[in-house]
């Protein structure tokens, strides 16, 4: 049972916790509205392009299309849950997580179909068909696809600054964009492989294709590449789009790394099943290195801010720092007297929101 002193501290903390941030002023709303319109129009355009390219095959091989869509839906739901869950402190906005997935499934895919097709024509013309077949994907996709995918992360950052505030948010939102792109690309592969084998035993072809695309390469595919690129956007956002030389170089390096691992993944270097698995593991390893760095940095910063603010609000240091994770917040909430829990929960939300704002701040040296 909490002591009277603890309950009194909780009440005082709820009253003195940081005030919620004010909403955007009118001049700030206009660019967000324009960005939202551009986001929606590009998603519609990408969806139309995608449907135009896939509808015929899906109607001819309707049963196989349904089978592929059902399997990929399950994969998508699991991936969506996992990628939102790995964000430290608390998960990102469900609405903008879905918008990130939507961008990857529509705008990024549709526009990439056009861009890749045009570039493949150029490589075939300049280097000949053998060169184009061997290197066309590696020379086209890393630039076109990564830039188109990360554009969605940038648009979300402009539309919702409260959702994408720093590198860890860029990683998660980027991963969700990549997941959406990956799901549609996998569906496209299942539809393309059926006529290649003569349309015989379509369900088996679908299952074999998804076994490779999900089972072998899914661990280190588009979600991981775009997570790395999205981290670069997070760095730019944290510096109010005006990074110094150090953060600017880091952001540029992250984007180049995302393109580089994509190039290696699509290149004809180390072919075969063993090569495919090794490439996928390399992409996954790079993404995990970036993730654990930004995760550790973010959690450390959040804990530091919570400790400082908690001390000013008269909270126990351990109680304040416990708010940096879901389990700790639930534990502290259970410690409060039942009638006071709504007020304590609101205080927790305000404190965590304030701490994440401060933790994501890269414009000035962070207070150690």
């Amino acid at each position: 049972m909490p002591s009277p002193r603890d309950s009194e501290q909780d009440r005082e903390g709820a009253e003195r916790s940081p005030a919620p941030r004010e909403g955007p002023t009118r001049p700030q709303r206009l660019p967000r509205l324009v960005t939202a319109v551009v986001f929606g129009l590009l998603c519609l355009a990408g969806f139309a392009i995608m449907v135009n390219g896939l509808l015929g095959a899906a109607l001819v091989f309707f049963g196989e299309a349904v089978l592929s869509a059902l399997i990929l839906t399950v994969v998508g739901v699991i991936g969506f849950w996992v990628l939102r869950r790995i964000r430290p402190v608390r998960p990102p906005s469900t609405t903008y997580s879905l918008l990130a997935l939507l961008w990857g499934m529509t705008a990024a895919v549709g526009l990439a179909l056009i861009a890749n097709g045009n570039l493949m024509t150029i490589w075939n013309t300049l280097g000949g068909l053998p060169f184009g077949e061997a290197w066309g994907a590696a020379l086209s996709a890393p630039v076109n696809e990564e830039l188109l995918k990360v554009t969605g992360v940038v648009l979300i950052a402009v539309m919702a600054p409260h959702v994408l505030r720093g590198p860890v948010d860029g990683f998660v939102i980027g991963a969700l964009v990549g997941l959406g792109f990956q799901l549609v690309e996998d569906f496209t592969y299942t539809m393309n492989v059926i006529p290649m084998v003569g349309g015989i035993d379509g369900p088996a072809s679908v299952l074999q294709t998804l076994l490779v695309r999900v089972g072998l390469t899914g661990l280190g595919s588009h979600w991981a590449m775009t997570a790395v690129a999205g981290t670069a956007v997070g760095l730019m956002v944290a510096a109010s789009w005006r990074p110094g030389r150090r953060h600017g170089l880091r952001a540029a390096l992250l984007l180049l790394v995302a393109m580089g691992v994509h190039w290696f993944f699509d290149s004809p270097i180390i072919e075969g099943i063993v090569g495919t698995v090794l490439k996928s593991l390399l992409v996954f390893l790079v993404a995990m290195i970036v993730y654990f760095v930004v995760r550790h940095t973010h959690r450390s910063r959040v804990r530091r801010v919570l400790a400082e603010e908690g001390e000013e609000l008269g909270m126990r240091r351990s109680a304040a720092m416990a708010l940096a994770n879901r389990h700790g917040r639930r534990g502290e909430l259970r410690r409060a007297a039942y009638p006071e829990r709504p007020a304590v929960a609101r205080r927790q939300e305000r404190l965590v929101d304030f701490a994440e704002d401060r933790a994501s701040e890269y414009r000035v040296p962070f207070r150690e």
Side-chain angles (χ1 to χ4, degrees):
M1 294 293 291
S3 66
R5 179 178 177 79
D6 290 340
S7 297
E8 182 179 350
Q9 289 176 345
D10 288 338
R11 285 194 297 271
E12 291 177 356
E15 294 170 357
R16 299 167 53 198
S17 57
R21 292 167 296 157
E22 295 181 359
T25 61
R26 187 175 299 276
Q28 292 174 319
R29 292 194 186 105
L30 182 59
R32 297 182 191 181
L33 177 61
V34 172
T35 303
V37 171
V38 171
F39 186 96
L41 290 176
L42 290 176
C43 284
L44 287 173
F47 180 74
I49 295 169
M50 182 184 65
V51 169
N52 182 63
L54 292 175
L55 184 59
L59 291 177
V60 173
F61 304 106
F62 183 75
E64 291 84 349
V66 171
L67 174 63
S68 178
L70 288 174
I71 295 174
L72 290 172
T73 297
V74 174
V75 173
V77 169
I78 295 173
F80 185 80
W81 181 85
V82 170
L83 292 177
R84 294 185 70 246
R85 184 71 180 178
I86 65 173
R87 187 192 183 280
V89 185
R90 56 184 176 177
S93 160
T94 302
T95 298
Y96 286 98
S97 296
L98 289 170
L99 286 177
L101 193 72
L102 178 67
W103 176 270
M105 296 180 71
T106 56
V109 169
L111 298 176
L113 286 173
I114 296 176
N116 286 339
N118 291 332
L119 268 182
M120 287 294 291
T121 301
I122 294 175
W123 305 133
N124 290 337
T125 303
L126 294 178
L129 289 177
F131 175 82
E133 290 179 359
W135 288 97
L139 294 175
S140 304
V143 177
N144 291 334
E145 293 177 3
E146 291 310 319
L147 289 179
L148 287 168
K149 287 184 293 178
V150 84
T151 296
V153 184
V154 172
L155 293 176
I156 290 174
V158 176
M159 285 192 297
H162 63 287
V163 171
L164 208 158
R165 294 182 281 196
V168 72
D169 296 315
F171 184 96
V172 174
I173 296 298
L176 290 167
V177 170
L179 173 65
F181 191 99
Q182 186 172 331
L183 292 172
V184 175
E185 187 177 77
D186 289 349
F187 180 80
T188 302
Y189 269 75
T190 61
M191 292 295 95
N192 290 341
V193 76
I194 297 172
M196 292 174 61
V197 297
I200 301 174
D201 202 1
S205 298
V206 168
L207 294 175
Q208 291 171 5
T209 302
L210 291 181
L211 178 63
V212 174
R213 298 286 303 176
V214 177
L216 292 183
T217 66
L219 190 64
S221 188
H222 286 286
W223 75 266
M225 300 166 187
T226 317
V228 176
T231 305
V233 178
L235 276 173
M236 298 293 289
V237 170
S240 292
W241 303 101
R242 296 186 296 273
R245 178 179 298 180
R246 184 178 62 175
H247 293 308
L249 288 175
R250 287 178 179 175
L253 179 61
L254 285 166
L255 184 58
L256 290 175
V257 167
M259 292 180 177
V261 294
H262 196 158
W263 172 85
F264 181 66
F265 188 89
D266 285 348
S267 72
I269 302 172
I270 316 178
E271 297 181 294
I273 294 180
V274 174
T276 299
V277 172
L278 289 176
K279 290 176 180 180
S280 179
L281 289 176
L282 174 65
V283 176
F284 178 74
L285 177 62
V286 169
M288 287 299 97
I289 291 173
V290 173
Y291 168 70
F292 282 111
V293 169
V294 298
R295 175 180 180 269
H296 172 74
T297 301
H298 186 75
R299 292 187 67 178
S300 297
R301 285 168 166 251
V302 167
R303 286 195 177 106
R304 204 171 303 154
V305 176
L306 286 171
E308 294 170 356
E309 292 302 312
E311 184 178 355
E312 293 182 8
L313 297 172
M315 296 175 61
R316 301 184 312 277
R317 182 180 178 86
S318 61
M321 294 181 67
L323 303 182
N325 61 73
R326 302 170 180 87
H327 178 74
R329 290 195 293 275
R330 289 194 295 266
E332 288 302 313
L333 194 60
R334 286 194 295 267
R335 287 170 57 87
Y338 186 79
E340 297 169 0
R341 289 181 183 178
V344 173
R346 289 192 296 270
R347 181 205 65 190
Q348 288 183 352
E349 184 67 22
R350 287 193 291 266
L351 275 173
V352 170
D353 195 52
F354 176 79
E356 291 211 278
D357 262 339
R358 281 284 292 114
S360 299
E361 178 59 75
Y362 282 66
R363 289 189 291 269
V364 294
F366 187 74
R367 179 173 47 175
E368 294 293 342

